[in-house]
Amino acid sequence: MTKRKWIEADEERRADNTRKRRRDDDRLSSLSDELILRTLSFLPVANLATCQRLSHRFYTLAGDPQLWKSAYYQRFVRPRASRIPGIREHGVPSAALFYSSRISKWLEDEHLVRRGRETDWKRQYKLRHNWSRGSCDVKEIKIAERPSLPPMLVRLHDDIIITADDIHGLRTWATKEPQWLLATLEFSTDSGGNGTGTAPTSLAIDTSKNGSHVIRIAVGFIDGRFGIYTFNQLTQALVGQYLHAASANGVISAVAYASPYLLTMTEAHLLSVYLLDSGSADRSTVKDPPRLLSSLKSHTTWPPLTLSIRVSSGGIIASIAYALPTYRSSWSVGLQELRLTTEGTIIQSRLTSAANQGFTPLSAASGSSTPEIQGDSTPPRTFGRRQIPCLTKPTSLSYSHPYLLASHPDNTLTLYLVQSTDKELTIGDGIRLWGHTSSVSGAHVGDRGKAVSASAHGDEIRVWELEGGLRSMSSRRRAAAGDASVQIRSENRAGMGTQPVTSVATGYSTALLGSTEAPSTTNGFVSFDEEKVVVLREKGYGSQALVVFDFS
């Protein structure tokens, strides 16, 4: 045998030994898919994601929905379940809250399971993980060269941004490229043929979960009118359905919409509940005009205020939360709740406030501010321990039962828990939330206890998890230390970690960063859904932009 042939034979022998050794070492691949899935179920999430890079087979197995559903449950659902009132009192062990693949709905996560749609549990896990870290993508959409008067109104619903102003009318925007502006509809002129009454002053989106591709919108105007509009997400058609006549009660200062009910509040403090036509939303006009179910005039409300509607099988609950001046120039919050049947008959009207003992509301001191609608009234709640009152007027209020959140110009927020039963209506002791380093211009709280707040300069956006009302002592200590929230930070795709949102520039934001003047939010307009946060920013030279924080 020649030397060359001997070398080739030796190399072939070594290669065969290497292949054999690799086959002997890779014992995992010889297992069945069921056994591999069982093995993968014990891995941490980081290792599970790494396994998807091994091969096509492991990419499929490590991405199995049940694995990620279990991981989602263990990290995000089980800790919440352990905080359910009564669990610890009855001695239920933590291990009893085990995961079962048969369970599809946990607590208030039923939105993750929809008919005809399979939930991407890995995507949901990543989404919640990004929310917990405040990690997101940031995009800016230039929408106006100059500010409108009254200020522009902004809402976010199902990845669609709705804006309303007197210059451009009602517009819908996409949160992703390539097409930002989807539809535009100019507001109709007033009865005199001019546009003086077309300035929008309030905006609301239908909060009822109807599963339709049609978004219902309610807009209140400066002349007392309100209009109902629909946006079809499939055809991208924005249609006006109804425009109510002007009212002598003044500006529509607030509106809430939960189909088929509409709640409005005027400048003259007239609270009205309407029943809307519940027919098809695809029609260009409504068949019948809204029917006024009930109205009352309040003398106890001060701005800012917010409206809320809760619909149940037994009737509806219309609520108005408002700022409340108290003795010695401090401020608190008040709540009025109106319970009605589905036919509009008033069952109960109740008032309550968070004013503490020793700080009597000015309305109670004057003795002349009682609602014209008679009903049960819950006296202001007092507490065993004295709480330091808020000396500054709230800059915004947001109410989503049972959470009432107030923002303040002293860099703080106050969280109140509302208890509403058949027997009583009370507002719990306020909890001060620290974390912002400048005045808080606005905050918005969702129906599952998540809240987003923005500073006056727009350079600090924070996410708060308020579920449970921060009842535990550890939660209260974190709130007092400023650790109860996460600051939103933009994720750098170039692999340089995370940065504050003001240091990331894409498109129009480059021009913003080129200026020495800091951007600011307009009237605290903050809105968010399951995946995104939208903030309206305005520059000193007047141009406006929507800043979209994408956590997906």
Side-chain angles (χ1 to χ4, degrees), residues 9-191:
D10 185 63
E11 290 178 349
E12 185 176 353
R13 244 186 343 264
R14 291 182 180 180
D16 290 340
N17 292 335
T18 301
R19 285 193 293 268
K20 184 178 180 180
R21 186 164 57 252
R22 287 178 178 174
R23 286 195 300 268
D24 293 340
D25 293 341
D26 186 12
R27 300 177 181 178
L28 192 62
S29 297
S30 61
L31 300 178
S32 65
D33 290 350
E34 290 76 11
L35 289 176
I36 294 178
L37 283 174
R38 178 62 176 170
T39 304
L40 293 176
S41 66
F42 295 99
L43 293 181
V45 171
N47 295 344
L48 195 62
T50 302
C51 287
Q52 287 195 282
R53 308 173 190 170
L54 298 178
S55 64
H56 291 289
R57 184 189 182 195
F58 273 89
Y59 179 83
T60 303
L61 293 176
D64 185 87
Q66 289 300 328
L67 292 178
W68 289 97
K69 186 178 181 180
S70 175
Y72 183 94
Y73 174 85
Q74 296 296 340
R75 179 174 178 185
F76 301 113
V77 179
R78 187 173 179 175
R80 295 173 58 202
S82 64
R83 295 194 296 266
I84 296 177
I87 290 291
R88 295 183 178 180
E89 289 77 358
H90 291 82
V92 178
S94 177
L97 303 173
F98 61 88
Y99 165 77
S100 173
S101 61
R102 296 182 179 181
I103 300 177
S104 299
K105 299 179 181 180
W106 304 310
L107 302 179
E108 296 180 342
D109 285 331
E110 66 274 5
H111 64 286
L112 298 179
V113 183
R114 301 178 183 177
R115 291 185 177 180
R117 181 184 301 179
E118 184 177 353
T119 303
D120 188 344
W121 289 104
K122 181 181 178 181
R123 184 177 185 276
Q124 291 298 328
Y125 186 96
K126 179 183 178 182
L127 182 64
R128 289 289 296 271
H129 174 72
N130 289 340
W131 273 103
S132 65
R133 295 177 55 211
S135 177
C136 63
D137 237 355
V138 180
K139 298 178 182 178
E140 295 195 15
I141 311 171
K142 185 177 180 179
I143 59 175
E145 294 292 344
R146 58 187 178 90
S148 60
L149 193 65
M152 181 179 294
L153 308 173
V154 180
R155 293 293 182 270
L156 175 64
H157 183 79
D158 283 348
D159 276 350
I160 301 295
I161 306 173
I162 298 97
T163 63
D165 64 280
D166 63 333
I167 300 176
H168 304 92
L170 188 64
R171 293 183 290 178
T172 56
W173 306 79
T175 56
K176 297 181 180 179
E177 295 180 296
Q179 182 183 2
W180 294 118
L181 183 60
L182 299 178
T184 302
L185 180 66
E186 293 184 359
F187 293 126
S188 302
T189 58
D190 58 14
S191 57

Side-chain angles (χ1 to χ4, degrees), residues 210 212 214-216 229-232 239 241 278-284:
N210 50 29
S212 172
V214 176
I215 300 177
R216 297 180 175 91
Y229 306 86
T230 60
F231 176 71
N232 192 310
V239 179
Q241 287 197 318
S278 59
S280 172
D282 296 322
R283 295 196 302 259
S284 58

